[in-house]
Every structure is written in C-alpha cells, then in structure tokens.
Amino acid sequence: MDPIVKPRIAALTFAGLFAALPSAVLAQSTLADPFKDSRYMSGYRDVAPSAVPDELSDVDALTRIRGTKRISACGDPYAFPSTEITDVARGYDVDLLKMIAAKEGWEAQFVWVNTANRGGLNRAFRTTIGKGVCDVFLGLGTGGDAGPLKKSKLTLIEPTFGVRYVLVTFDPALKSTGLAELAKNKTPMGATYFSPTEKLLNAEGLKYESFPEARRVIQAMAEGKVAAALIPSTSLAESRRQFPDRTVYVIESYMPEDAFNWNNAWAVADKETGLRAFLEERLVAMAASGELQALLDRYGIPYFPPFKTAQAETRGSR
C-alpha cells in the first residue's frame, strides 16, 4: 500500500456521482430519491452522539472506544454498496466496521449525514466527525480533492481495497471482446457523466450514451439500449441487486490504465493516530485472512489489492 495516495480524496457517495462511489428495494435505499427526502437534503444526523463517562471525555478516541465498548462511524445514507440507511445499516464498509467491532466486543453505531447538499464533504465533515460526533468516516476513496480533509484535520487510513473501472455486458456473445472490436462493430456503449470513461470511449472511437449514475447505465444495458458499459467494479453490486436473475459478464480483455484505478478508504481525525493504527492493523489482517474478499464476494464485488499508483478522481459506485 502506497502512502502517496493519501492526500487525495473523494466520497463514494451520491454526491460523488455528480462531482463524479459504488441495489433489493428497502425502506430507504439507493433506488429511493434522496433529493425528495427533506431530512437528507437538510444534511440531517440520524443518531446523536451517545453519552460518554466523564473520566473518558478527554482521552484519545481509541481509549474512549475501548472504555465505552462503542465505536461510531459516519456515512452517507444513499451510498450503496458502501453505506446505506435501511431497516438495518448495511454496505461493505458498514459490515467491515461491524466485523471489527464484534471481534473486540464493541457496539458499532452509525451516524447518517448528507454529503450531496450544499457544502458537500466540507459540511459533512465539519458537522459530524469534525465535532466528535463519530470516530471514523466511511465511504471515501483516494483520488479526489484533499481540501475537505485538510480543512477538517482528517487523514485517510491506508486503503482497504482497490476499485477500478470494468467493462461489463449482459450479452454472453460479447464477453470475450475488447474495446477495439466493440468500436469496429459500432457496438452501443454506456458511460457515466463527467467520468474518465467518456474521454476513453471518445478516444477509442466508440459510440456511447452517458448516464448520470452507474445504476442507470446498468438499467439501460438490461433494457438493450446499450450493449456494454464501463462502470466502477463496486457497481457490480448494483447489477446483482437490480437484476438478480441476470448474469453480468466482466470483459476481462479490457485492462484499465492507472488513471482508472482508485482505492476505498476511511478517514479519522489527524490527532487520532492510535485509532488509525488500530483500524489499519485490523483491516490488513482481514485482507490477509480472506475475510475482506469473502465480504466483497457477498456483494458481487471483485477484490483488488490497493493500487499503489491510484491517482484518478474517484467516481461514484452508482
């Protein structure tokens, strides 16, 4: 894992889709419309900070967490498959934190905050983890603007796993093709707005249509409007959730350049070096044991070790 990726950040959230993350329909899910949810648009917090004993009020985060047996995390409620507010909090980042907490005998508490409203990540960080409302912020990635991190005095922990654009199709006849052949055959392609995929498809001379989010690209592909698409690897979870009876094929002949790779990561306060080291140690152990890969497998997401040269602006998972 390469520390040079740390200064760059982006949210793998609903907000990230329009700057640039990765569904069964539940009470509130990615398939709902957050822009019609007044709570979400107000940047609400669904959970208030739990009381802390006086003797633990001025200690470092890891000491307090161990003393209260409770770790809290902030995340966007509409960022499936990373974080999602439903009847029970879920998402691969949510599950990872729950697994870490369970091994320590801790409770995991989740605080939901809108990262898509006015102020974006700056406001989300400032009103939650910046005020000590949570210990760690989930659903982030390397590759974006470091400004929000610096302003809130936050640091990304070492990345948990890599994310890259994958070329996918529902058509088994296309599963062994590459971009050059798709271009030659004038195969209709799908891409997401304001993403590197548009530039790449243009450069390759491919016919394509752009959509505001990966979920809609996948839907267009299922409806036959496009035959193949470039989407973040985390968005394969979206395909599994939207179309559980369809097999999505990853066209392995396409291998993205470094500019199409990034890493999933979390953030903690700069000063909380103990908590950062603790989380990094646990996540490295879970990757080595295969637990991390098994978790991603349940979402239909391929596991990639963190990319050492990940420098692309992180795009959304939807």
Side-chain angles (χ1 to χ4, degrees):
M1 290 179 281
D2 190 341
I4 66 172
V5 301
K6 285 187 177 181
R8 311 190 72 205
I9 180 177
L12 306 187
T13 64
F14 196 90
L17 300 172
F18 294 95
L21 154 207
S23 287
V25 180
L26 299 162
Q28 289 186 331
S29 74
T30 309
L31 301 183
D33 186 350
F35 291 135
K36 293 181 181 179
D37 184 332
S38 59
R39 298 177 307 155
Y40 185 78
M41 293 308 293
S42 70
Y44 78 103
R45 292 204 305 259
D46 190 59
V47 176
S50 297
V52 175
D54 290 342
E55 63 271 20
L56 296 174
S57 60
D58 294 321
V59 299
D60 66 276
L62 185 57
T63 299
R64 173 177 45 74
I65 291 166
R66 285 172 167 159
T68 59
K69 297 187 181 299
R70 181 180 62 249
I71 185 169
S72 61
C74 290
D76 192 288
Y78 288 96
F80 182 85
S82 173
T83 56
E84 182 179 52
I85 181 173
T86 55
D87 52 336
V88 176
R90 66 194 68 199
Y92 55 75
D93 276 336
V94 169
D95 292 347
L96 273 174
L97 190 72
K98 285 182 176 179
M99 291 166 69
I100 292 172
K103 290 180 180 182
E104 301 295 323
W106 302 341
E107 171 194 359
Q109 184 179 66
F110 297 92
V111 179
W112 303 111
V113 57
N114 176 9
T115 65
N117 70 346
R118 185 175 182 180
L121 279 177
N122 277 316
R123 184 176 187 275
F125 288 162
R126 185 177 67 251
T127 60
T128 58
I129 191 168
K131 290 187 174 181
V133 172
C134 55
D135 303 306
V136 57
F137 207 105
L138 308 179
L140 304 174
T142 61
D145 181 10
L149 280 177
K150 292 180 179 179
K151 287 180 181 179
S152 293
K153 298 181 180 180
L154 301 178
T155 299
L156 290 183
I157 69 170
E158 289 285 357
T160 51
F161 64 91
V163 183
R164 71 174 175 87
Y165 277 99
V166 290
L167 184 59
V168 299
T169 182
F170 283 128
D171 184 352
L174 296 179
K175 64 181 182 180
S176 299
T177 56
L179 288 179
E181 186 176 350
L182 292 170
K184 179 181 178 181
N185 296 333
K186 298 182 179 179
T187 305
M189 300 285 294
T192 48
Y193 292 161
F194 313 119
S195 75
T197 58
E198 290 185 306
K199 183 177 180 180
L200 173 66
L201 295 177
N202 267 324
E204 295 289 336
L206 281 147
K207 174 185 176 182
Y208 71 93
E209 182 177 356
S210 294
F211 300 84
E213 52 189 359
R215 171 170 64 90
R216 297 190 185 182
V217 179
I218 294 166
Q219 183 174 341
M221 195 166 63
E223 294 172 351
K225 295 177 180 178
V226 299
L230 278 167
I231 61 173
S233 52
T234 47
S235 293
L236 289 169
E238 189 77 60
S239 176
R240 171 178 286 192
R241 185 149 96 161
Q242 280 188 268
F243 304 101
D245 298 326
R246 301 285 301 270
T247 300
V248 63
Y249 300 97
V250 174
I251 300 175
E252 299 292 348
S253 61
Y254 169 72
M255 184 59 65
E257 300 175 359
D258 290 343
F260 287 74
N261 301 332
W262 63 92
N263 295 314
N264 188 76
W266 300 347
V268 297
D270 291 346
K271 64 180 181 179
E272 300 299 351
T273 55
L275 177 59
R276 175 182 164 191
F278 169 85
L279 290 173
E280 289 177 344
E281 180 183 327
R282 297 306 185 274
L283 289 167
V284 167
M286 292 172 75
S289 69
E291 291 174 281
L292 176 54
Q293 183 166 351
L295 169 60
L296 294 177
D297 284 346
R298 294 202 295 272
Y299 285 87
I301 298 171
Y303 170 76
F304 301 108
F307 295 106
K308 293 183 179 181
T309 55
Q311 295 294 319
E313 181 181 351
T314 305
R315 311 311 268 180
S317 65
R318 281 172 281 170

